[in-house]
Amino acid sequence: MTQPTKPDSTRETILATGRKLVTVQGFGGMGLSTLLKASGVPKGSFYHYFPSKEAFGQALLQDYVDDYLARVDAILARDLNGADKLLTFCDAWLDHEREAGLVNTCLVVKLGAEVADLSDTMRAVLDAGARALVTRLAAMLREGVADGSLRLQDLTDQTAHHAAQVLYAQFLGAAILSKLAHDPHPLEAVVQDIKTRLVTGA
Amino acid sequence: MTQPTKPDSTRETILATGRKLVTVQGFGGMGLSTLLKASGVPKGSFYHYFPSKEAFGQALLQDYVDDYLARVDAILARDLNGADKLLTFCDAWLDHEREAGLVNTCLVVKLGAEVADLSDTMRAVLDAGARALVTRLAAMLREGVADGSLRLQDLTDQTAHHAAQVLYAQFLGAAILSKLAHDPHPLEAVVQDIKTRLVTGA
């Protein structure tokens, strides 16, 4: 008989609170009671929106992937050459100052290995998100080679995709090393490596 | 009043069982009761060896790091040039066939992001292990440049360390992407990238 007056805002509150919690606690480590308490939402309300914790996890990751790709699309749409788009993405990723920095809140880093063995629906959402990001990074690389701001040997769609995949892998792995070391140096080393190898005249 | 007849073997049983469980379930996701049941060890015995779950996690990671570095040291000690040592490491990492393949059992991939926010003692063990591995990869790179089997621009101790760190980050990130995709291609792309960039005459 509950009639939420702002159903979407309740859903969004649960998702936003959940995103903050899993970024620190992981998905398995975040108890439902902790989430409900932090959201200020009763259990019945939660199950009104999400049939299970896994369904909630799937919605949370989809929401995250949509936001993330929108940020990357905004970079792609800017009036910049390919190298500057790539470096803008690097800056957004590295941004330590703001809580919104992509690396501190990256759920592929935080949850990728966890959900890969835990939930196939959650795994599929993150996998599709990672693939969509690699496609966008490959587009930046192709743009940069076309406008002369980036260098890549033997540019084809396949080599650009391959290079984008390796580049993204570098970021993810360096994020783990930086988290373990409590030190941004591994991430900075990767950005330096990208500049040295890919940016013409850097 | 318990007098275990084989104390070390009980400890080793708990550690070996725990390693298998956390490789799938993560550390937070592995309940102590599951571990005790799978090990066939009573709770009192567990607490005889480990004062807490965190202390157990720390011992488990130290045991893992020690084994891992021993495998890498065995590669370093072989009568091979630097490139072949690096490629032997790549093969060991990629080995899909055997359960003992480094990537399938890699606890830095599986637990790195989880324990970084969960336990400072566990984080410190994995961080020290990652640093020790980077040091060994840097040694392979320096050997390979010295014997002409690897190429690296402007070789110094610092650039070798930097290159080893980026190389290890690539592996870790590609392992996450391969886990998410249920597809070895991201890992194979990284090995191909290493061959193209670093191995002379490849």
Side-chain angles (χ1 to χ4, degrees):
Chain A
M1 302 296 280
T2 48
Q3 296 186 319
T5 49
K6 297 187 290 178
D8 288 333
S9 93
T10 302
R11 186 177 185 276
E12 279 164 26
T13 299
I14 301 171
L15 287 172
T17 307
R19 196 194 289 188
K20 276 185 207 156
L21 289 175
V22 298
T23 303
V24 179
Q25 301 181 1
F27 186 72
M30 183 198 64
L32 201 55
S33 58
T34 307
L35 172 62
L36 296 176
K37 196 174 171 190
S39 313
V41 166
K43 194 184 269 191
S45 221
F46 176 86
Y47 284 111
H48 173 73
Y49 294 107
F50 309 105
S52 63
K53 191 185 172 194
E54 186 180 17
F56 163 71
Q58 193 182 350
L60 180 151
L61 291 180
Q62 189 62 59
D63 197 53
Y64 167 74
V65 165
D66 292 346
D67 283 357
Y68 192 106
L69 294 176
R71 287 181 67 174
V72 179
D73 283 338
I75 295 173
L76 267 171
R78 286 178 63 180
D79 186 21
L80 297 169
N81 66 30
D84 285 338
K85 286 180 185 179
L86 185 61
L87 295 175
T88 303
F89 174 76
C90 292
D91 284 343
W93 180 267
L94 276 178
D95 190 344
H96 304 294
E97 303 308 319
R98 296 183 311 146
E99 210 179 68
L102 294 179
V103 69
N104 289 321
T105 58
C106 180
L107 295 188
V108 175
V109 170
K110 183 67 192 180
L111 302 185
E114 182 185 0
V115 306
D117 296 313
L118 187 73
S119 156
D120 206 55
T121 55
M122 291 173 70
R123 178 196 69 74
V125 173
L126 275 189
D127 182 40
R131 286 173 196 269
L133 177 61
V134 168
T135 301
R136 282 159 175 79
L137 291 175
M140 285 183 200
L141 293 177
R142 286 197 306 272
E143 269 188 52
V145 174
D147 65 31
S149 62
L150 294 173
R151 61 172 161 254
L152 206 65
Q153 275 194 325
D154 312 320
L155 182 78
T156 64
D157 282 357
Q158 203 189 343
T159 56
H161 176 84
H162 176 116
Q165 201 172 44
V166 171
L167 198 149
Y168 185 43
Q170 283 184 330
F171 268 117
L172 293 175
I176 292 181
L177 293 178
S178 282
K179 276 175 87 80
L180 283 178
H182 283 187
D183 176 355
H185 182 258
L187 277 164
E188 288 162 4
V190 158
V191 172
Q192 188 55 50
D193 183 69
I194 289 168
K195 286 183 184 166
T196 307
R197 284 199 296 126
L198 299 177
V199 178
T200 55
Chain B
M1 302 296 279
T2 48
Q3 296 185 317
T5 49
K6 296 188 291 178
D8 287 332
S9 95
T10 303
R11 185 176 185 275
E12 278 163 28
T13 300
I14 302 172
L15 287 173
T17 308
R19 196 194 290 188
K20 277 186 203 151
L21 289 174
V22 299
T23 302
V24 178
Q25 302 180 3
F27 186 73
M30 184 198 62
L32 201 55
S33 58
T34 307
L35 172 63
L36 296 177
K37 195 174 170 188
S39 313
V41 166
K43 193 184 271 190
S45 223
F46 177 87
Y47 284 112
H48 173 73
Y49 294 107
F50 309 106
S52 64
K53 191 184 173 196
E54 186 179 17
F56 163 71
Q58 192 182 351
L60 181 151
L61 291 179
Q62 189 61 59
D63 198 50
Y64 168 73
V65 165
D66 291 345
D67 284 356
Y68 191 106
L69 293 177
R71 288 181 67 173
V72 179
D73 283 338
I75 296 173
L76 267 171
R78 287 178 63 181
D79 186 20
L80 297 169
N81 67 28
D84 286 337
K85 287 181 184 178
L86 185 60
L87 295 174
T88 302
F89 174 76
C90 291
D91 284 344
W93 181 267
L94 276 178
D95 191 346
H96 304 295
E97 304 309 317
R98 295 184 310 145
E99 208 179 70
L102 294 180
V103 70
N104 289 320
T105 58
C106 179
L107 295 187
V108 175
V109 170
K110 183 67 191 180
L111 301 185
E114 182 185 0
V115 306
D117 296 312
L118 187 70
S119 156
D120 206 54
T121 55
M122 291 173 69
R123 177 197 70 72
V125 174
L126 276 188
D127 182 40
R131 287 173 195 268
L133 177 61
V134 167
T135 300
R136 283 157 175 80
L137 291 175
M140 287 183 198
L141 293 177
R142 285 196 308 271
E143 268 188 55
V145 173
D147 65 31
S149 62
L150 293 173
R151 61 173 160 256
L152 205 66
Q153 276 194 325
D154 312 318
L155 181 78
T156 64
D157 283 356
Q158 202 190 344
T159 57
H161 177 85
H162 176 117
Q165 199 172 45
V166 170
L167 198 150
Y168 185 44
Q170 284 185 329
F171 269 117
L172 293 175
I176 293 182
L177 293 177
S178 283
K179 276 175 89 78
L180 284 177
H182 284 187
D183 177 355
H185 182 258
L187 276 164
E188 289 162 3
V190 158
V191 172
Q192 188 53 51
D193 184 68
I194 288 169
K195 285 183 183 164
T196 308
R197 284 197 296 126
L198 298 178
V199 179
T200 53

